[in-house]
């Protein structure tokens, strides 16, 4: 099968391309990129006025399978990803059982192959059952295809365990993705600690709970020479630590989420549990610093931390609700608002969703190079739409963006040369 994507604005930041071009796809590969490509017997895709980008990659997704299929499963989660413009996602291991051994990882890979519509790359746990006490068999997880290790959902509290994890992970060049939270400080917290937590009467989670762990992990990365990736950076103090670590040449990368880039703790005043997320939405000052860091090379990628929950876990008192936001289907539109507002350049934004995440995990993806897998995301930058979670492919309808209007949405998602999402509909 051949696809000819005609006349789109092709943005391939890794190759410094931003130009109106055609792309020819044959079977599962990109075979040609250029002007006025002519080819017979192919499906023509008119991409005029659209942005044609390398397939977007989201390295932080909770797919919930096995164990929590009532929240999400690989079938629904990969469809949500395709509808959100993502061709590759990495799934976190906080499932039941935890993805801490080769049989669970193999199960996830099989389900993804049989039921998934995008590429799913599994992340293995750091410690057995994510209990923070005993290391997983890192060599085994590497061999079965894990692209990284993480105990996300919870921090690795013991510094000695984190140190040994880093030492082993380094032998396999596996990055360790750290959920930075000092539980002694975050305990029972519901939202960011500050003016609004006092005003709304909710227990706060101080930025220091994150910053302390970021500092510890930077120190351990320096000690071991291993690669630490900081998940969902939310506090400006964390960014400052990361900036300095990068200047020192320590192997540190980091991600930010769409919600931490666009929402502040003020909106928690709605007492809508869909605003409850860990780390919490921070202050206006934090958000400003995060946005500025996007263009400065301090932030390596955007990641959604897609955390779907069941209605019952959110339809309750704020303090009883689960933490998490269903983010796959809004990530593109929400972060593109920063492009429209002139806060970040278009090419930088594409890079943060493509070559940026690919480089964090050392993936051979994120470009439109000839010969590469035809993973392509096409965006309609002018499409205006309100967020309607009832139309989500994800089972998780928990989004604080519901009812908000955004401009710039995924229009077509092509994975391995096959159209999996087109104009609002999943094709597989
Ligand atoms: O808000 C969150 N939800 N933060 C996490 O760290 C875990 C995640 C989840 O798994 O629900
Ligand atoms: Zn986390
Ligand atoms: Zn997470």
């Amino acid at each position: 099968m051949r696809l000819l994507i005609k006349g789109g604005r092709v943005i391939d930041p890794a190759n410094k391309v931003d130009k109106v071009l055609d792309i020819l796809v044959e079977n599962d590969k990109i075979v040609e990129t250029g002007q006025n490509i002519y080819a017979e017997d192919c499906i023509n895709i008119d991409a005029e006025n659209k942005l044609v980008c390398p397939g977007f990659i989201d390295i932080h997704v909770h797919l919930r399978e096995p164990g929590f299929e009532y929240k999400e499963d690989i079938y629904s989660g990969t469809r949500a990803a395709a509808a959100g413009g993502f061709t590759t996602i990495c799934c976190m291991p906080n499932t039941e059982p935890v993805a801490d051994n080769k049989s669970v990882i193999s199960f996830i890979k099989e389900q993804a192959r049989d039921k998934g519509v995008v590429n799913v790359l599994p992340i293995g746990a750091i410690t057995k059952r994510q209990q923070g006490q005993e290391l997983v068999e890192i060599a085994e997880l590497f061999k079965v295809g894990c692209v990284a290790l993480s105990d996300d959902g919870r921090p690795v509290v013991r510094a000695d365990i984190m140190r040994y994890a880093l030492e082993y992970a380094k032998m396999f060049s596996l990055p360790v993705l750290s959920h930075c939270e000092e539980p002694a400080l975050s305990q029972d917290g519901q939202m960011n600690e500050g003016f609004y937590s006092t005003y709304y009467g909710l227990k706060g989670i101080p930025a220091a709970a994150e910053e302390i762990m970021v500092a510890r992990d930077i120190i351990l990365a320096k000690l071991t020479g291993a690669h630490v990736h900081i998940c969902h950076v939310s506090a400006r103090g964390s960014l400052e630590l990361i900036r300095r670590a990068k200047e020192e040449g320590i192997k540190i990368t980091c991600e930010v989420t769409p919600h931490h880039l666009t929402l502040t703790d003020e909106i928690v005043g709605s007492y809508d549990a869909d605003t409850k997320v860990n780390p919490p939405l921070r202050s206006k000052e934090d958000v400003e610093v995060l946005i500025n860091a996007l263009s400065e090379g301090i932030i390596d990628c955007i990641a959604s931390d897609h955390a779907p929950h069941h209605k019952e876990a959110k339809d309750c008192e704020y303090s009883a609700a689960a933490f998490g936001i269903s983010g796959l289907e809004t990530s593109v539109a929400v972060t593109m608002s920063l492009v429209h507002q002139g806060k970040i350049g278009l090419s930088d934004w594409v890079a943060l969703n493509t070559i940026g995440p690919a480089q964090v995990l050392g993936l051979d993806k994120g470009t439109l190079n000839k010969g590469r897998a035809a993973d392509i995301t096409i965006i309609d930058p002018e499409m205006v739409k309100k967020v309607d979670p009832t139309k989500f492919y994800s089972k998780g309808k928990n989004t604080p963006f519901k009812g908000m209007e955004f401009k710039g949405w995924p229009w077509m998602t092509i994975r391995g040369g096959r159209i999996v999402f087109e104009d609002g509909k999943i094709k597989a």
Side-chain angles (χ1 to χ4, degrees):
M1 196 170 77
R2 299 208 292 178
L3 298 177
L4 181 57
I5 305 166
K6 287 211 67 92
R9 178 172 168 191
V10 174
I11 303 177
D12 183 4
N15 291 311
K16 300 203 161 44
V17 171
D18 180 352
K19 208 174 171 186
V20 173
L21 292 169
D22 301 340
I23 297 180
L24 182 64
V25 169
E26 203 166 296
N27 299 320
D28 59 344
K29 299 269 185 324
I30 294 171
V31 292
E32 203 183 334
T33 304
Q35 271 160 339
N36 302 316
I37 298 177
Y38 176 78
E40 281 177 355
D41 300 329
C42 52
I43 298 172
N44 275 288
I45 297 167
D46 175 8
E48 211 182 317
N49 301 319
K50 308 276 195 301
L51 310 174
V52 179
C53 312
F56 277 25
I57 301 167
D58 188 344
I59 66 167
H60 192 146
V61 171
H62 296 271
L63 285 178
R64 307 298 195 203
E65 185 176 356
F68 303 108
E69 291 84 353
Y70 62 97
K71 299 183 194 182
E72 191 82 289
D73 56 26
I74 289 168
Y75 181 95
S76 61
T78 59
R79 277 159 182 77
F86 296 97
T87 55
T88 298
I89 56 178
C90 303
C91 59
M92 283 295 178
N94 60 340
T95 49
E96 181 55 50
V98 169
D100 62 1
N101 63 76
K102 71 173 175 215
S103 63
V104 179
I105 298 291
S106 304
F107 170 79
I108 292 168
K109 286 174 70 178
E110 279 162 29
Q111 291 292 99
R113 187 194 59 212
D114 297 346
K115 299 182 181 158
V117 295
V118 301
N119 306 311
V120 175
L121 306 175
I123 297 166
I126 297 171
T127 64
K128 289 186 181 163
R129 294 174 40 243
Q130 293 192 306
Q131 294 296 301
Q133 300 298 329
E134 214 184 325
L135 285 189
V136 297
E137 297 290 341
I138 293 178
E140 176 184 297
L141 292 185
F142 173 74
K143 275 189 222 139
V144 73
C146 286
V147 294
L149 302 174
S150 183
D151 268 1
D152 185 57
R154 36 173 82 196
V156 177
V157 176
R158 279 176 53 182
D160 59 334
I161 297 284
M162 191 60 159
R163 176 199 180 164
Y164 297 131
L166 290 174
E167 281 170 353
Y168 280 105
K170 188 186 170 198
M171 294 183 209
F172 304 97
S173 301
L174 279 175
V176 173
L177 281 39
S178 183
H179 169 112
C180 289
E181 175 181 354
E182 168 49 72
L185 287 177
S186 61
Q187 210 177 181
D188 304 323
Q190 305 297 324
M191 66 173 293
N192 181 42
E193 181 176 298
F195 170 81
Y196 286 107
S197 61
T198 309
Y199 190 55
Y200 300 150
L202 292 170
K203 185 161 190 306
I205 300 171
E210 176 177 296
E211 293 157 1
I212 283 179
M213 281 302 211
V214 170
R216 183 202 73 175
D217 287 347
I218 287 169
I219 292 165
L220 291 176
K222 186 173 177 181
L223 173 69
T224 59
H227 174 188
V228 174
H229 173 80
I230 310 291
C231 293
H232 42 53
V233 173
S234 69
R236 60 192 190 277
S238 305
L239 266 189
E240 197 40 48
L241 292 162
I242 293 164
R243 181 196 308 273
R244 276 193 270 154
K246 286 191 167 191
E247 278 165 13
E248 244 194 86
I250 298 168
K251 263 199 217 159
I252 289 281
T253 54
C254 72
E255 67 189 33
V256 283
T257 71
H259 45 274
H260 290 116
L261 284 168
T262 54
L263 300 175
T264 67
D265 53 358
E266 188 182 354
I267 68 156
V268 175
S270 62
Y271 295 98
D272 172 2
D274 288 345
T275 63
K276 184 170 171 178
V277 66
N278 188 22
L281 301 174
R282 300 286 184 189
S283 71
K284 197 163 148 263
E285 293 74 27
D286 289 297
V287 173
E288 268 164 26
V289 173
L290 291 184
I291 291 172
N292 289 335
L294 285 173
S295 318
E296 293 169 1
I298 309 299
I299 292 168
D300 297 271
C301 64
I302 293 171
S304 71
D305 195 4
H306 177 72
H309 283 290
H310 193 257
K311 197 170 172 294
E312 273 157 29
K314 289 290 194 180
D315 239 358
C316 54
E317 213 179 300
Y318 206 86
S319 59
F323 288 96
I325 290 173
S326 180
L328 276 172
E329 286 166 88
T330 51
S331 182
V332 160
V334 167
T335 57
M336 200 169 185
S337 67
L338 301 171
V339 177
H340 288 307
Q341 290 161 22
K343 291 181 176 166
I344 171 182
L346 182 58
S347 178
D348 285 344
W349 174 73
V350 174
L352 287 161
N353 282 293
T354 55
I355 189 67
Q359 281 176 345
V360 167
L361 297 184
L363 307 174
D364 193 15
K365 292 183 180 296
T367 75
L368 292 170
N369 290 346
K370 241 192 228 181
R372 287 293 172 93
D375 291 344
I376 300 169
T377 296
I378 309 180
I379 290 163
D380 182 347
E382 299 299 324
M383 186 195 290
V384 176
K385 210 174 70 173
K386 271 191 184 159
V387 174
D388 179 359
T390 65
K391 300 216 169 76
F392 277 4
Y393 285 90
S394 171
K395 294 184 193 179
K397 313 298 178 191
N398 46 305
T399 171
F401 297 108
K402 55 186 172 287
M404 293 188 201
E405 190 171 86
F406 293 99
K407 185 165 102 171
W409 291 85
W411 176 72
M412 183 180 280
T413 308
I414 300 168
R415 181 261 187 139
R418 279 191 53 209
I419 299 170
V420 290
F421 172 79
E422 182 179 4
D423 208 9
K425 288 183 196 65
I426 292 292
K427 295 294 198 184

